[in-house]
Amino acid sequence: FPTADNRLQITTTGGNIFIAGLGSFEPDDISTVDGSIDIEADVNGSKLTIPSSGGGAGIRATGNGNITLSSADDMFIEKFVQTANGDIFIDADSDDDGGGELETTGSGDVSSTGGGTIDVTLAEVKFVGDFNTAGNLTFRQSRTSDTIGLGGIAGALDFSDTELSRFTAGTLEFGRTDGADINLQSVTLSNVNTLVLLTGGTVDDDNGTDLTGVSALGILAGGTVDLDTTIDSVAVVNSGTGGVNIADTANGLNIITITTSVGDITGVNATGGSVFLNAAGSNANADLDISSDVINSSGQITLNAGESILLSANVTAFGSNGITFNAGQSTSTGAFTMSGAASITGENGTIDINSDTDATITEIDTVNGRVDITATNGNITVNAAAGGIVATGTSDFTLVAGADVDLND
């Protein structure tokens, strides 16, 4: 119930706690065992503070309940906000006017100990407290027109290196699918498994600076994606203009499928420009391993590896756009290997495969295009039973091997 200075202290061992319709106030100690907590300070200009002073212990849902906090203007978290097995939803700019800052202090940690979702909407950021979950941790801008900057580069909503270091999550997401551009500068995330970037605009690094620390990167964009990264596994969909340019600077690239809060991001898919994936970084033995589809509906596809290219999915280009595979960019032992139900499909463009050693083919299809396969110092093996090379119309193909050409039935 209300205490001095507009503070609230409420405890229940069951049921939900719902507080709404107030101006600025300070819930000092709100806790429930098996219910949810919903606190709304949504009157114009209202601020919400979980204060460090006083005898309260913050906001706690110790059972399966969720916590929802919202304020029309700023929100200050000075004591912990914690769920045991539930989710946490925070909106520090509920009127979406761009005036809502979320500020956490050193004792203002936000955590879901059971691995629930932590979902945050805000216009400005000032974090000293930590955010912890084994599940999804999401930060989105309250206004679609606001850009996001990560790692110290400017954005309408920007997160410094120090603030990024305070995040521990299974998956860390930034942005929204209808939001503005996301820009990065030398971003390192030490306590995050998967990074997801969501934008209706572009994703770009600052003059080729690296994105490091996480094991997987998913990007859903509406414009050009251009990044240098040491991240091993990548999935990118660009549904708008511009292409996809991902350069590995370390140990190779795996093209995979990544699950996000808005659905799966599968392989690499572009609709408005070229696709260039370069796994020929500082490690000469870096491979390009493609286990999810690569599709480009309106541009060239170029796939490079320092050593070998391993293809167990489908690569498809449309129209006159070609597909080029270059294995062995940094060594003389690079092989090209297709396996399983993998296929390469083109229309009027050239499909060009280059390897130092063996090239193993399952299925290649082209209509009025050209297929050129070169295995400089190895064998070319075409598995006809898996589909082989099907060149129809005015198509042509050339096989050049340093050793044998084997057409298996």
Side-chain angles (χ1 to χ4, degrees):
F1 294 98
T3 64
D5 303 322
N6 291 323
R7 294 182 181 175
L8 295 173
Q9 296 180 341
I10 300 175
T11 300
T12 177
T13 57
N16 302 323
I17 298 174
F18 178 67
I19 306 167
L22 302 175
S24 299
F25 69 105
E26 300 182 1
D28 182 47
D29 189 336
I30 310 293
S31 66
T32 181
V33 176
D34 288 317
S36 293
I37 299 172
D38 189 342
I39 303 174
E40 302 175 3
D42 293 330
V43 178
N44 266 352
S46 295
K47 301 181 186 339
L48 179 62
T49 302
I50 293 94
S52 58
S53 58
I59 311 296
R60 294 160 294 148
T62 58
N64 297 314
N66 301 326
I67 295 175
T68 300
L69 307 175
S70 65
S71 60
D73 212 334
D74 302 332
M75 187 182 301
F76 305 95
I77 299 176
E78 300 173 359
K79 280 185 181 172
F80 68 78
V81 175
Q82 184 180 87
T83 61
N85 298 306
D87 302 325
I88 299 174
F89 302 93
I90 296 173
D91 190 346
D93 191 23
S94 62
D95 58 4
D96 296 334
D97 67 353
E101 178 183 69
L102 177 60
E103 180 176 335
T104 65
T105 67
S107 56
D109 295 343
V110 178
S111 64
S112 176
T113 58
T117 293
I118 300 177
D119 187 287
V120 181
T121 301
L122 70 170
E124 300 176 54
V125 57
K126 185 177 180 181
F127 292 160
V128 178
D130 296 333
F131 289 75
N132 300 289
T133 180
N136 275 37
L137 172 59
T138 298
F139 295 96
R140 73 175 58 81
Q141 65 271 51
S142 57
R143 298 185 300 183
T144 60
S145 59
D146 286 350
T147 60
I148 293 179
L150 302 178
I153 195 168
L157 174 62
D158 50 39
F159 296 81
S160 68
D161 288 332
T162 300
E163 287 164 338
L164 293 173
S165 71
R166 299 191 180 282
F167 303 150
T168 298
T171 298
L172 174 62
E173 295 188 3
F174 289 99
R176 48 195 292 171
T177 57
D178 58 352
D181 300 344
I182 298 177
N183 299 302
L184 306 92
Q185 183 181 62
S186 298
V187 172
T188 299
L189 296 165
S190 301
N191 301 307
V192 174
N193 293 327
T194 300
L195 173 65
V196 174
L197 306 178
L198 306 174
T199 175
T202 65
V203 176
D204 192 17
D205 57 18
D206 181 48
N207 297 321
T209 54
D210 281 343
L211 173 60
T212 62
V214 299
S215 59
L217 169 66
I219 299 175
L220 186 59
T224 301
V225 176
D226 189 358
L227 288 177
D228 287 359
T229 179
T230 64
I231 295 173
D232 293 336
S233 299
V234 174
V236 181
V237 171
N238 176 0
S239 60
T241 59
V244 174
N245 183 355
I246 303 291
D248 164 66
T249 59
N251 298 315
L253 279 177
N254 303 314
I255 307 304
I256 64 169
T257 296
I258 292 175
T259 299
T260 78
S261 65
V262 297
D264 288 348
I265 301 174
T266 300
V268 174
N269 193 321
T271 61
S274 62
V275 170
F276 182 77
L277 305 179
N278 185 22
S282 58
N283 183 348
N285 298 316
D287 294 335
L288 176 59
D289 190 338
I290 303 170
S291 58
S292 287
D293 295 350
V294 176
I295 302 171
N296 194 350
S297 61
S298 62
Q300 173 79 22
I301 298 175
T302 303
L303 307 172
N304 294 339
E307 188 157 13
S308 295
I309 296 176
L310 310 172
L311 177 60
S312 57
N314 305 311
V315 177
T316 306
F318 295 90
S320 61
N321 300 297
I323 305 171
T324 300
F325 299 87
N326 294 310
Q329 293 288 283
S330 305
T331 70
S332 59
T333 57
F336 176 84
T337 304
M338 299 176 68
S339 61
S343 69
I344 302 169
T345 303
E347 292 184 339
N348 304 320
T350 297
I351 298 172
D352 191 9
I353 299 171
N354 301 289
S355 66
D356 295 320
T357 57
D358 295 343
T360 302
I361 309 300
T362 55
E363 181 178 356
I364 298 177
D365 299 288
T366 183
V367 180
N368 301 323
R370 181 175 181 84
V371 178
D372 294 321
I373 303 174
T374 302
T376 305
N377 299 305
N379 303 312
I380 296 176
T381 301
V382 179
N383 187 350
I389 299 174
V390 180
T392 60
T394 59
S395 302
D396 196 4
F397 67 90
T398 302
L399 308 179
V400 179
D404 298 331
V405 174
D406 188 359
L407 305 180
N408 292 328
D409 293 330

